[in-house]
């Protein structure tokens, strides 16, 4: 960054400071976020992550084993939903930059998307069992599209709100950690609900022998999914209300202006940011690996490890519990070593741990299985945390380069776009391979399951490990090291110092 850019921003920043909340103010004029505001902001991540996790882990087995749809149909539904969702994100990001309301640019979109999210999410699991296969597929597609439109309206503005919670880059990093811890806890809660609710419907069929209720036409497993979806929907509404009431959108939290420019111009500005391109591609491959493991986890435990759904849920809770517990560790390492070094370290560990899924022994003790999955979950904390913490640095670098023009909504929307598109593509490819190579269908025989077991070992072990290896190679090209991160923060602190006014 050259001196003219720094001088311009220091000179132009004086008019941007206009604190509008009750957080404490430091001597350099920058605000520290109150604990309640941090918690409210973090809790706001729950609607996206709860619903996304439940869909990610359970939609595949639900549609395959209970809705009885074929893998190619399920893969097509997931890819279409994710692709449509991904295409909506840049559009929503662009529209938020054009929104100028008294309540802010982002909160109106968050409020507008909240209720449609939970309606669409619940309907996905309520597919009527008396429909034909094509009718079931159409019902799921419509419900899934409603969900994807609404979650884009909610989550893209929410992530962009990160840059508007504080003046201090350190506080933004802490807010990001609260968000990622909340997202990881949401993953844990989604899995825990599945384990807690499912046993309640074990004896439902016996009760239906003396009843002609409409609910008796649903399989007990589907009713369990619907009950879990209803509870998650309630949590999402509560979390959204806490976010909307507990976090004020600060116009003073960012320095520079949001340009009013055509969609293509904004896209080109974002796309020409070298560090952003590297970050996007670096994150894409590891997220595809995580999505592939996530989508096949239940099938892997059932067909490869010969475990019941209850035992598979136990392993899932162990994996996610390790991910949650690892977040503070990775945050400290991120501060000490820098974000790039921390991310590379985590990916290097995850490469070997994903690969171990191919070689896991069916007769291994349950204790050893829990140890293995806890080890797999530990580096995932960094996969969730570090890229999200890198993005504010890239946005600030671009703002310094562009003399105060900020495009955080576009940066976040394309980031989410790549995440969703990559995840959908990974699941689609996985399902196509599972059907064409593994011979899996909803009525597999034992012999066919043995073929599918070998395919699942590859799809959850070898393929994700190779994708992680690509991310490791690309992480060496990420231009910002710990010194660069400190320099960007120092430049931002100069903007907030009294000499900048």
């Amino acid at each position: 960054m050259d001196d003219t850019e720094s001088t311009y921003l220091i000179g132009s920043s004086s008019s941007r400071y206009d604190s509008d909340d009750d957080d404490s103010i430091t001597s350099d004029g920058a605000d520290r976020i109150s604990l309640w505001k941090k918690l409210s902001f973090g809790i706001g991540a729950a609607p996206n992550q709860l619903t996304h996790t439940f869909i990610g882990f359970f939609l595949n087995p639900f549609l395959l084993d209970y809705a009885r749809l074929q893998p190619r149909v399920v893969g097509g539904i997931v890819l279409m939903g994710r692709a449509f969702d991904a295409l909506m994100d840049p559009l929503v990001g662009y529209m938020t930059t054009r929104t100028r309301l008294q309540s802010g640019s982002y909160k109106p979109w968050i409020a507008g998307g909240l209720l449609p999210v939970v309606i669409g999410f619940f309907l996905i699991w309520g597919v009527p069992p008396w429909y034909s296969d094509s009718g079931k597929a159409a019902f799921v597609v419509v419900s899934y599209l409603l969900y994807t439109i609404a979650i884009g309206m909610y989550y893209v503005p929410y992530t962009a709100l990160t840059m508007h919670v504080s003046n201090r880059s350190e506080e933004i990093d802490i807010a990001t950690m609260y968000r990622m811890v909340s997202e990881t806890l949401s993953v844990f809660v989604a899995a825990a609900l599945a384990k807690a609710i499912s046993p309640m419907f074990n004896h439902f069929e016996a009760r239906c022998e003396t009843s002609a209720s409409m609910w008796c036409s649903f399989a007990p497993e589907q009713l369990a999914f619907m009950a879990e979806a209803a509870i998650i929907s309630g949590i999402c509404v509560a979390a959204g209300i806490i976010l909307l009431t507990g976090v004020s959108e600060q116009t003073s939290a960012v320095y520079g202006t949001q340009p009013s420019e055509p969609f293509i111009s904004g896209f080109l500005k974002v796309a020409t940011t070298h560090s952003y391109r590297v970050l996007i591609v670096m994150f894409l491959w590891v997220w595809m690996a995580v999505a592939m493991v996530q989508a096949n986890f239940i099938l892997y435990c059932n067909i490869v490890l010969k475990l019941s759904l209850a035992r598979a849920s136990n392993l899932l809770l162990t994996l996610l519990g390790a991910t949650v517990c690892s977040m503070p560790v990775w945050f400290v390492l991120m501060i000490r070593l820098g974000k790039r070094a921390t991310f590379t370290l985590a990916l290097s560990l995850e490469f070997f741990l994903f690969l171990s899924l191919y070689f896991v022994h069916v007769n291994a003790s349950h204790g050893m299985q829990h140890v293995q999955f806890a080890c797999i979950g530990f580096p995932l904390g960094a996969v969730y945390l570090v890229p999200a913490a890198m993005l504010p640095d890239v946005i600030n670098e671009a703002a310094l380069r562009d003399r105060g023009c900020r495009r955080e909504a576009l940066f976040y929307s394309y980031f989410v776009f790549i995440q969703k598109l990559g995840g959908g593509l990974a699941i689609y490819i996985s399902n196509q391979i599972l059907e064409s190579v593994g011979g899996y269908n909803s009525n597999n025989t034992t012999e066919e399951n043995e073929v599918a077991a070998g395919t699942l070992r590859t799809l959850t072990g070898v393929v994700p490990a190779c994708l992680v290896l690509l991310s490791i190679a690309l992480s060496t090209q990420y231009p910002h090291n710990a010194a660069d991160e400190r320099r960007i923060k120092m430049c931002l602190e100069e903007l907030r110092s009294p000499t900048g006014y």
Side-chain angles (χ1 to χ4, degrees):
M1 183 187 64
D2 58 38
D3 293 337
T4 59
E5 289 176 345
S6 178
T7 302
Y8 171 83
L9 288 173
I10 292 173
S12 65
S13 63
S14 58
S15 63
R16 299 295 301 165
Y17 185 75
D18 180 24
S19 181
D20 58 359
D21 67 8
D22 59 356
D23 291 334
S24 59
I25 308 296
T26 60
S27 60
D28 63 356
D31 67 324
R32 292 189 181 278
I33 311 175
S34 66
L35 178 60
W36 172 244
K37 187 172 181 179
K38 292 173 185 174
L39 289 172
S40 299
F41 178 73
I43 289 170
N48 174 74
Q49 201 62 27
L50 277 171
T51 57
H52 182 76
T53 297
F54 201 76
I55 287 173
F57 277 114
F58 298 110
L59 183 62
N60 224 33
F62 170 74
L63 295 180
L64 289 171
D65 293 340
Y66 304 117
R68 298 293 182 183
L69 298 177
Q70 292 305 312
R72 65 179 180 278
V73 177
V74 175
I77 291 172
V78 172
L79 179 61
M80 181 171 61
R82 294 286 184 96
F84 188 81
D85 188 9
L87 291 172
M88 282 292 298
D89 292 335
L91 179 60
V92 172
Y94 175 72
M95 294 299 294
T96 58
T97 64
R98 316 284 281 189
T99 302
R100 298 289 188 273
L101 297 177
Q102 187 174 1
S103 55
S105 297
Y106 305 119
K107 290 176 70 175
W109 286 87
I110 294 172
L114 183 59
L115 284 180
V117 164
V118 298
I119 293 171
F121 172 72
F122 179 78
L123 288 177
I124 290 172
W125 311 96
V127 53
W130 54 85
Y131 279 13
S132 64
D133 286 351
S134 57
K136 291 177 183 177
F139 185 92
V140 174
V141 166
V142 172
S143 303
Y144 199 15
L145 289 181
L146 173 61
Y147 166 76
T148 56
I149 292 171
I151 200 64
M153 290 174 58
Y154 180 93
Y155 191 61
V156 170
Y158 168 71
T159 53
L161 188 62
T162 306
M163 302 299 293
H164 292 258
V165 296
S166 175
N167 295 354
R168 297 172 60 88
S169 55
E170 293 89 349
E171 293 292 300
I172 290 174
D173 281 346
I174 293 173
T176 299
M177 188 190 75
Y178 271 77
R179 173 165 72 90
M180 301 317 297
V181 169
S182 175
E183 290 193 356
T184 312
L185 281 171
S186 297
V187 174
F188 187 83
V189 169
L193 276 174
K195 177 174 173 56
I197 299 298
S198 293
M200 298 180 184
F201 291 84
N202 286 344
H203 305 292
F204 183 80
E205 285 180 320
R207 283 181 240 163
C208 283
E209 292 177 0
T210 58
S211 172
S213 169
M214 179 193 71
W215 300 109
C216 291
S217 59
F218 291 85
E221 294 85 358
Q222 182 174 359
L223 288 174
F225 280 119
M226 292 170 67
E228 293 152 13
I231 295 172
I232 288 174
S233 297
I235 296 173
C236 290
V237 171
I241 292 172
I242 291 172
L243 170 67
L244 291 168
T245 57
V247 178
S248 57
E249 185 178 322
Q250 291 182 250
T251 56
S252 64
V254 292
Y255 289 84
T257 59
Q258 292 196 16
S260 179
E261 59 188 358
F263 179 84
I264 296 299
S265 298
F267 168 76
L268 291 175
K269 283 290 186 181
V270 171
T272 53
T273 304
H274 173 67
S275 56
Y276 184 69
R277 294 198 307 270
V278 176
L279 175 62
I280 285 289
V281 181
M282 177 179 77
F283 180 61
L284 169 64
W285 299 112
V286 68
W287 189 252
M288 288 181 69
V290 171
M292 194 169 287
V293 173
Q294 186 183 63
N296 291 307
F297 184 87
I298 300 298
L299 292 174
Y300 176 86
C301 290
N302 177 250
I303 295 175
V304 177
L305 301 183
K306 314 295 185 186
L307 299 178
S308 65
L309 180 60
R311 289 195 178 275
S313 297
N314 287 337
L315 288 180
L316 181 58
L317 290 175
T318 297
L319 185 151
L320 298 176
T323 303
V324 172
C325 294
S326 73
M327 297 285 272
V329 176
W330 292 114
F331 184 77
V332 171
L333 289 174
M334 188 175 71
I335 299 300
R336 298 285 181 87
L337 304 178
K339 296 168 186 175
R340 183 177 68 183
T342 301
F343 191 61
T344 304
L345 173 62
L347 292 184
S348 300
L349 293 173
E350 200 67 278
F351 168 76
F352 293 104
L353 293 167
F354 276 161
L355 197 59
S356 71
L357 289 173
Y358 182 83
F359 299 100
V360 66
H361 198 278
V362 177
N363 297 321
S365 67
H366 293 308
M368 286 302 298
Q369 289 174 342
H370 281 279
V371 170
Q372 180 184 15
F373 281 92
C375 291
I376 292 171
F378 189 83
L380 284 179
V383 173
Y384 284 109
L385 174 64
V386 180
M390 287 175 167
L391 189 51
D393 293 336
V394 172
I395 293 172
N396 288 329
E397 176 208 13
L400 296 175
R401 178 201 66 190
D402 294 334
R403 296 183 172 275
C405 289
R406 304 191 63 90
R407 301 176 178 86
E408 56 264 10
L410 294 180
F411 277 98
Y412 274 102
S413 65
Y414 291 122
F415 188 79
V416 176
F417 166 85
I418 291 296
Q419 177 182 0
K420 292 177 178 177
L421 187 61
L425 187 61
I427 295 170
Y428 175 77
I429 294 172
S430 173
N431 280 347
Q432 293 298 311
I433 294 174
L434 188 59
E435 181 175 15
S436 60
V437 178
Y440 180 88
N441 61 63
S442 13
N443 301 297
N444 268 357
T445 64
T446 303
E447 292 76 14
E448 288 171 330
N449 272 342
E450 290 304 316
V451 178
T455 306
L456 281 167
R457 284 180 181 271
T458 302
L459 290 174
T460 55
V462 178
V463 176
C466 292
L467 293 172
V468 168
L469 200 59
L470 286 173
S471 284
I472 293 173
L474 287 163
S475 69
T476 62
Q477 304 301 311
Y478 182 70
H480 297 316
N481 54 28
D484 295 325
E485 293 163 15
R486 288 192 293 269
R487 186 171 65 251
I488 291 172
K489 289 182 179 181
M490 288 176 61
C491 291
L492 292 174
E493 291 305 318
E494 287 179 7
L495 299 179
R496 300 171 184 126
S497 67
T499 59
Y501 298 96

